[in-house]
Amino acid sequence: METTEKQFAQIVRENRSTIYTVCYMFSKDADEVSDLFQEVLINLWKGFAAFEGKSDIRTWIYRVSLNTCISVDRKKKRHKTVPLSMSINLFEDNDADTRQVQLLYKRINRLGSFDKALVLLWLENLSYDEIGAVMGISAKNVSVKLVRIRELLKKMSND
């Protein structure tokens, strides 16, 4: 294996959970998450040679992952499909905490792609500066948008 391929494989191993977290935010279907993950890996590989290290590798991975998932999400909305249903939900859990988390994720999934990405990065405990670097906006703009998103999520609780 060439040095570049080894470096790429190492970076993917170290950041696999970050990539999966982004993919999971855009789909709850295990097969679709796997497809998104593969699509992200393809885009990371395509851009790897051009990555100059001007930003943190994690910031670059978030940016590529989010842009990939947002693009796929937009295409999916243009071409509606009918999902196959299973008679069993492996993710189902009925305790109160799980129901609260599921309700929050349902509300977050009603947000637009950009807002959903901001919330994801905030939930991942990135600083406003890091979020701004990933999203291409200022830290102040991140703060303003997160306040607006929180208000929107609160309003959704009344729906």
Side-chain angles (χ1 to χ4, degrees), residues 8-23:
F8 182 76
Q10 180 64 30
I11 289 168
V12 169
R13 273 192 298 280
E14 291 171 357
N15 293 280
R16 184 177 55 234
S17 65
T18 297
I19 300 167
Y20 266 116
T21 299
V22 173
C23 294

Side-chain angles (χ1 to χ4, degrees), residues 26 70 73-74 77 107-119 148-149 152 156:
F26 284 85
I70 288 169
D73 193 51
R74 285 182 183 148
K77 286 179 181 172
R107 289 180 189 155
I108 290 171
N109 280 319
R110 289 172 52 193
L111 297 172
S113 296
F114 190 86
D115 290 349
K116 191 187 309 184
L118 276 173
V119 171
R148 183 185 54 78
I149 291 167
L152 188 59
M156 285 180 193

Side-chain angles (χ1 to χ4, degrees), residues 1 17 24 27-28 33 46 57-58 67 90-91 101 103 119 122 136 155:
M1 200 184 288
S17 65
Y24 184 75
S27 178
K28 300 299 177 267
V33 169
K46 286 178 181 176
I57 189 80
R58 190 167 176 233
N67 287 339
L90 301 175
F91 299 106
V101 169
L103 184 60
V119 171
W122 180 77
K155 287 179 185 174

Side-chain angles (χ1 to χ4, degrees), residues 33-96:
V33 169
S34 292
D35 290 346
L36 286 170
F37 185 85
Q38 289 177 3
E39 196 70 29
V40 169
L41 289 182
I42 290 168
N43 288 334
L44 287 170
W45 177 250
K46 286 178 181 176
F48 189 61
F51 178 69
E52 298 173 347
K54 290 181 181 177
S55 65
D56 183 62
I57 189 80
R58 190 167 176 233
T59 301
W60 177 71
I61 288 170
Y62 267 119
R63 184 179 287 251
V64 171
S65 299
L66 286 168
N67 287 339
T68 301
C69 290
I70 288 169
S71 293
V72 171
D73 193 51
R74 285 182 183 148
K75 287 177 192 171
K76 185 171 64 174
K77 286 179 181 172
R78 281 195 303 256
H79 305 288
K80 292 281 186 192
T81 58
V82 178
L84 296 175
S85 62
M86 294 176 32
S87 60
I88 185 169
N89 182 354
L90 301 175
F91 299 106
E92 192 172 306
D93 195 345
N94 289 321
D95 68 11

